[in-house]
């Protein structure tokens, strides 16, 4: 199968959002996505973009994407965080995911970062196996911690009373 991997454009964001929604369904959180196309356009294509996105295209249609951004590690310095890598189900196993992954790693190396990191669900055995085969370390002793908007408001209202 012939496909191309390239940096996304503003015009690609509707298809990128479709993939983000598809990933949310795959990860069993279909209602979790609250951003829209305008958010992606504003945040990814402004003077100081908040993310970089690569897409895999087959016959003019985006069938996969990888979205990443820079972070700063107090141990390593500038790092890349791969937020999402998704390939439409019908195109999995055809090399698109590997090509996007390679593009992300090459981008990180070009940027001179000391680490690329991401999160994978423990039940996504195919992804875990792929990452381990690629030479990545899958940490099983670190827990991801998040606080959503409601949690932040609740915490701040409680801490304001102290």
């Amino acid at each position: 199968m012939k496909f191309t991997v390239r940096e996304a454009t503003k015009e690609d964001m509707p298809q990128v959002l479709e993939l983000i929604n598809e990933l949310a369904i795959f990860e069993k959180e279909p209602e979790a996505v609250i951003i829209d196309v305008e958010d992606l356009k504003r945040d990814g294509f402004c003077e100081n973009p908040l993310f970089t996105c690569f897409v895999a295209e087959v016959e003019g249609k985006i069938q996969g994407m990888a979205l990443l951004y820079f972070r700063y590690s107090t141990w390593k310095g500038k790092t890349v965080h791969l937020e999402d890598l998704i390939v439409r189900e019908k195109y999995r196993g055809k090399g698109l995911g590997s090509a996007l992954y390679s593009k992300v790693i090459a981008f990180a190396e070009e940027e001179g970062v000391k680490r690329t990191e991401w999160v994978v669900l423990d039940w996504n055995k195919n992804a875990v196996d792929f990452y381990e085969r690629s030479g990545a370390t899958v940490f099983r002793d670190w827990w991801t911690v998040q606080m959503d908007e409601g949690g932040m408001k609740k915490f701040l209202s409680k801490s304001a009373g102290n």
Side-chain angles (χ1 to χ4, degrees):
M1 165 180 299
K2 187 174 177 185
F3 62 89
T4 58
V5 173
R6 62 173 174 78
E7 193 162 343
T9 66
K10 194 184 261 195
E11 292 73 30
D12 295 327
M13 292 304 102
Q15 291 180 76
V16 167
L17 184 59
E18 286 176 19
L19 285 160
I20 291 168
N21 282 307
E22 189 170 321
L23 180 61
I25 291 165
F26 175 77
E27 292 183 350
K28 301 174 177 64
E29 293 196 50
E31 306 301 320
V33 179
I34 62 170
I35 64 166
D36 61 24
V37 170
E38 293 310 311
D39 293 325
L40 290 168
K41 288 179 178 181
R42 178 193 65 236
D43 296 340
F45 301 91
C46 55
E47 186 175 337
N48 295 304
L50 298 178
F51 65 83
T52 299
C53 184
F54 297 108
V55 295
E57 207 170 36
V58 179
E59 297 177 1
K61 177 126 172 80
I62 295 171
Q63 304 297 351
M65 70 92 180
L67 190 142
L68 55 107
Y69 55 90
F70 292 109
R71 291 174 61 174
Y72 193 83
S73 164
T74 56
W75 293 2
K76 304 294 182 189
K78 184 179 175 183
T79 66
V80 163
H81 181 83
L82 173 58
E83 180 66 20
D84 286 326
L85 191 156
I86 175 84
V87 173
R88 291 187 200 277
E89 188 171 6
K90 155 179 174 178
Y91 288 92
R92 292 183 192 149
K94 300 184 186 309
L96 280 73
S98 294
L100 284 163
Y101 182 73
S102 294
K103 185 74 169 174
V104 169
I105 302 303
F107 174 83
E109 184 183 50
E110 289 165 13
E111 290 291 327
V113 304
K114 304 296 184 210
R115 177 174 69 204
T116 303
E117 59 192 355
W118 58 95
V119 177
V120 62
L121 290 164
D122 61 354
W123 54 261
N124 191 347
K125 184 166 173 25
N126 289 339
V128 170
D129 291 347
F130 172 81
Y131 295 140
E132 288 180 329
R133 280 193 315 272
S134 80
T137 303
V138 177
F139 293 99
R140 290 173 169 84
D141 54 349
W142 287 77
W143 291 36
T144 299
V145 179
Q146 295 180 340
M147 185 181 289
D148 65 13
E149 187 178 19
M152 290 186 291
K153 287 181 194 284
K154 186 176 179 180
F155 171 80
L156 292 171
S157 70
K158 285 196 304 190
S159 65
N162 292 338

